[in-house]
Amino acid sequence: MKKKHDPGREEREQYEANGKYAYEYHSPAEPNKHGRRDADPEDEVAPLTPPWTTNVPGPPPPKAPGERAKAHSRTTTNRLIFVLAVMVVAILVAQNTIFRLTTVYVIGYRNKTPQQIAAASGLVKGLNMFSLSEDEVRENLSSDHTIVFLGMQKDYPSTIYLYISEREPVASLQWLGLL
């Protein structure tokens, strides 16, 4: 078989070897002795990838199902941690600003004023409502023997009700200078 001389063939092969360009020509072959146009096997060019995909990185390969589950699990875990952190900050801010003692109601007083009873109980404006315990209030009021502590009720976010009864002296007697 006789090779056809193509002046641009060497240049094309050089560019294709360097990966810079890709050429593909489709031209009719010369007629043979029967009048048919057969292609010369030397002229056949293997199909090449389009030039816009040769040097440009493509999309990442698809992840395996296990990798997708791990990525989804990590995303869910990160979101959960973020939500929990926001909730902790919100609780701390609420405790320091909203849940502060502002009002004490005393129920059951007769001889002493509510201010005297509240002061004896140790309840002061601005205390954290979550840190107040009934046992501490009972202990503080037990130092005054005229007050009997019956109970305490917290009304969130800032009110406490103290239930007390007062002991009343029934008889007094003076003997040897003592009352």
Side-chain angles (χ1 to χ4, degrees):
M1 252 192 189
K2 186 179 173 184
K3 270 189 170 180
K4 297 179 197 171
H5 178 63
D6 185 8
R9 184 179 191 93
E10 290 176 19
E11 186 179 333
R12 247 191 343 256
E13 287 176 357
Q14 183 181 2
Y15 280 119
E16 288 176 2
N18 292 332
K20 293 181 179 177
Y21 300 97
Y23 294 102
E24 188 174 336
Y25 291 103
H26 296 284
S27 59
E30 293 183 23
N32 60 11
K33 62 182 178 177
H34 299 293
R36 289 189 237 142
R37 297 182 179 254
D38 293 329
D40 187 4
E42 293 284 327
D43 290 338
E44 288 184 22
V45 178
L48 300 172
T49 57
W52 58 86
T53 61
T54 54
N55 294 328
V56 178
K63 294 181 181 180
E67 291 178 22
R68 273 188 260 143
K70 286 179 184 177
H72 179 70
S73 176
R74 271 187 244 117
T75 303
T76 304
T77 303
N78 289 341
R79 287 181 182 165
L80 181 64
I81 289 171
F82 177 74
V83 167
L84 289 175
V86 168
M87 287 176 56
V88 166
V89 168
I91 288 172
L92 290 174
V93 167
Q95 278 189 351
N96 290 328
T97 57
I98 298 171
F99 295 101
R100 293 290 179 183
L101 180 63
T102 57
T103 309
V104 176
Y105 291 108
V106 179
I107 300 169
Y109 65 92
R110 289 189 193 158
N111 299 326
K112 294 193 175 199
T113 65
Q115 290 81 9
Q116 290 172 331
I117 296 170
S121 69
L123 297 175
V124 203
K125 185 176 182 179
L127 289 175
N128 188 336
M129 289 287 289
F130 296 110
S131 67
L132 299 175
S133 72
E134 191 168 334
D135 294 332
E136 289 178 17
V137 174
R138 181 185 318 273
E139 186 178 315
N140 290 339
L141 287 175
S142 68
S143 64
D144 188 354
H145 68 282
T146 61
I147 300 173
V148 177
F149 180 70
L150 301 175
M152 177 176 89
Q153 177 185 353
K154 292 181 181 179
D155 187 17
Y156 292 103
S158 62
T159 305
I160 288 186
Y161 294 93
L162 288 178
Y163 298 97
I164 60 143
S165 68
E166 289 187 48
R167 291 189 179 113
E168 292 188 30
V170 188
S172 65
L173 183 60
Q174 187 171 4
W175 187 66
L176 297 173
L178 296 174
L179 180 61

